[in-house]
Amino acid sequence: MSEQQKRTEIGEIGEFGLIDQISSKFTNKNSSTLKGIGDDAAVFGSGDLLQLLSTDMLLEGVHFDLSYMPLQHLGYKAVAVNVSDIAAMNGLPKQITVSLGLSNRFSVEAIEELYKGIQFACEDYSVDLVGGDTTSSPSGLVISVAVIGEVQKEKVVYRKNAKENDIICVTGDLGGAFLGLQVLEREKAVFKENPEMQPDLEKYDFIVKRQLKPSARMDVIHELGDLGLVPTSMIDISDGLASELFHIAKNSEVGVTIYEDKLPIAKMTYDTAVEFNMDPMTCALNGGEDYELLFTIGQNDFEKIKNHADIATIGYVDKRANGLKMVTKNNNTVALQAQGWKHF
Ligand code: ADP
Ligand code: MG
């Protein structure tokens, strides 16, 4: 009889450990594969214009709850989160495929709603829907989108290549999508208790929108192009700033220092965190799904962005040996913790 095989729980190694383990078993055979597993998108091609490919799946009950997520928004978000990964490579999205797992809970009209959102996103990001797949699912809704993008060879930006003394930048503001989700979850709980109660969402419009209808920062990618600025490294913020800083640091073999008082937090995000008895800074560092961009630039490029209203400079790239640190408002230096999203 064979020895009983050891069973390892996925939770023991986590999502990133699992991806590392998968990737360690494969080597690329094609010289056109320039970057495989391990960045926001794969990079391939041989000429001056490279192709980018990324895919992201959204599962009902894990990534969205249809009791507060309108199908149109869901369609839009499924595309936006994919486009965001192309933005993170400094590329332009061109084509998408959309694959659906559907149960008979959904009507033709419901799917039309979903595709209205997909269509809006295709307009906003100038991408073409070129295919997909449709299958039945026993209960929940599954949406998997793949996106193809393009980038000039000299403009592609990876998670690696951040250099010591580079400046760390983030777009927009952080923590809003996470607090929007808290508000939606609270209102859902209130509604379950007492269906007579109408949700009070208007007051939280901004953060609820951050959760339900995130945008990919293609506007910033176009602006960086106009400024002639190619970041040294970049990633989109899907799991939380701290987690993304760990990816940049690991891939670039550097350390980072950020300043708490420089983290961009919208007033409504701040106030709602306080209302929920949460620390606004923790929400900004570890709240997911903001889909902003985190990037590093050489000091010579600082002039180009220093007056940009929607780009905050939050710290600098350090030696690897100095690790990942945050200087707090009280001028204490603390080690950064990457909590991120843990689905397992
Ligand atoms: P992002 O948050 O930017 O979408 P992920 O953390 O999902 O990136 O993925 C990181 C890298 O791991 C990407 O290169 C992605 O293509 C790859 N990856 C994720 N899951 C798998 C898998 N099951 N098999 C192979 N590669 C994967
Ligand atoms: Mg990403």
Side-chain angles (χ1 to χ4, degrees):
M1 237 173 64
S2 68
E3 222 177 282
Q4 209 183 347
Q5 271 211 317
K6 181 176 182 289
R7 179 190 157 90
T8 311
E9 300 303 328
I10 296 175
E12 286 174 43
I13 60 171
E15 179 188 347
F16 299 136
L18 183 67
I19 294 172
D20 283 347
Q21 198 173 72
I22 294 170
S23 118
S24 71
K25 304 257 173 18
F26 289 81
T27 44
N28 298 326
K29 290 171 272 304
N30 297 300
S31 60
S32 57
T33 307
L34 304 177
K35 177 75 198 179
I37 297 172
D39 217 298
D40 291 283
V43 184
F44 50 95
S46 47
D48 287 338
L49 189 64
L50 303 179
Q51 310 299 313
L52 303 166
L53 174 63
S54 182
T55 182
D56 258 306
M57 183 157 58
L58 299 181
L59 259 84
E60 184 176 358
V62 178
H63 299 100
F64 60 89
D65 183 331
L66 288 174
S67 57
Y68 51 66
M69 177 62 125
L71 282 163
Q72 231 185 81
H73 286 55
L74 180 62
Y76 192 98
K77 182 168 176 173
V79 178
V81 303
N82 275 276
V83 169
S84 179
D85 278 323
I86 298 297
M89 307 303 291
N90 204 27
L92 304 178
K94 297 290 172 182
Q95 288 89 13
I96 55 165
T97 61
V98 175
S99 302
L100 297 179
L102 289 171
S103 74
N104 57 12
R105 255 173 67 224
F106 297 94
S107 64
V108 172
E109 288 75 19
I111 301 311
E112 273 174 8
E113 276 300 295
L114 181 74
Y115 271 84
K116 257 189 219 161
I118 292 176
Q119 210 169 3
F120 280 132
C122 285
E123 291 296 322
D124 281 358
Y125 301 116
S126 297
V127 293
D128 301 324
L129 171 67
V130 296
D133 195 19
T134 310
T135 64
S136 63
S137 137
S139 60
L141 174 63
V142 180
I143 309 177
S144 177
V145 176
V147 58
I148 292 181
E150 284 176 4
V151 60
Q152 294 292 327
K153 192 167 116 190
E154 67 280 3
K155 284 190 160 180
V156 62
V157 179
Y158 297 98
R159 294 176 180 181
K160 64 181 183 191
N161 294 336
K163 297 278 177 299
E164 201 183 327
N165 297 323
D166 280 356
I167 297 164
I168 303 173
C169 307
V170 282
T171 61
D173 56 88
L174 301 174
F178 171 76
L179 282 154
L181 182 63
Q182 305 312 305
V183 169
L184 288 165
E185 292 281 354
R186 180 179 69 186
E187 295 307 319
K188 187 184 166 190
V190 169
F191 184 75
K192 265 191 176 161
E193 283 279 302
N194 180 2
E196 304 282 293
M197 292 276 286
Q198 283 303 303
D200 162 32
L201 292 178
E202 227 165 80
K203 179 175 152 203
Y204 301 100
D205 192 41
F206 172 74
I207 52 175
V208 164
K209 206 163 154 219
R210 295 287 278 159
Q211 170 60 220
L212 296 183
K213 195 171 179 282
S215 357
R217 296 311 304 261
M218 284 310 304
D219 56 332
V220 173
I221 296 305
H222 289 296
E223 283 169 15
L224 293 179
D226 293 344
L227 290 165
L229 199 174
V230 180
T232 52
S233 71
M234 184 150 58
I235 187 169
D236 71 328
I237 306 181
S238 51
D239 292 340
L241 176 68
S243 173
E244 317 305 355
L245 282 167
F246 270 82
H247 287 307
I248 295 266
K250 184 177 169 203
N251 285 277
S252 298
E253 295 176 46
V254 294
V256 295
T257 297
I258 60 166
Y259 295 86
E260 184 178 15
D261 64 357
K262 303 230 183 252
L263 297 184
I265 302 179
K267 182 168 182 337
M268 183 182 293
T269 302
Y270 192 97
D271 292 349
T272 311
V274 171
E275 186 190 329
F276 276 76
N277 278 323
M278 289 176 174
D279 174 22
M281 295 305 158
T282 308
C283 295
L285 282 169
N286 295 310
E289 298 198 291
D290 286 314
Y291 297 102
E292 295 295 341
L293 294 170
L294 167 67
F295 58 95
T296 55
I297 60 171
Q299 296 212 2
N300 293 343
D301 282 325
F302 177 64
E303 281 295 314
K304 294 180 185 163
I305 53 112
K306 73 170 189 202
N307 293 323
H308 195 295
D310 216 19
I311 298 177
T313 53
I314 61 164
Y316 64 92
V317 179
D318 208 347
K319 285 189 179 59
R320 181 70 177 155
N322 288 340
L324 285 83
K325 295 179 301 197
M326 181 167 76
V327 179
T328 67
K329 285 178 180 160
N330 306 326
N331 227 11
N332 292 321
T333 300
V334 296
L336 268 183
Q337 311 283 344
Q339 288 169 356
W341 286 139
K342 290 197 174 64
H343 292 305
F344 297 104

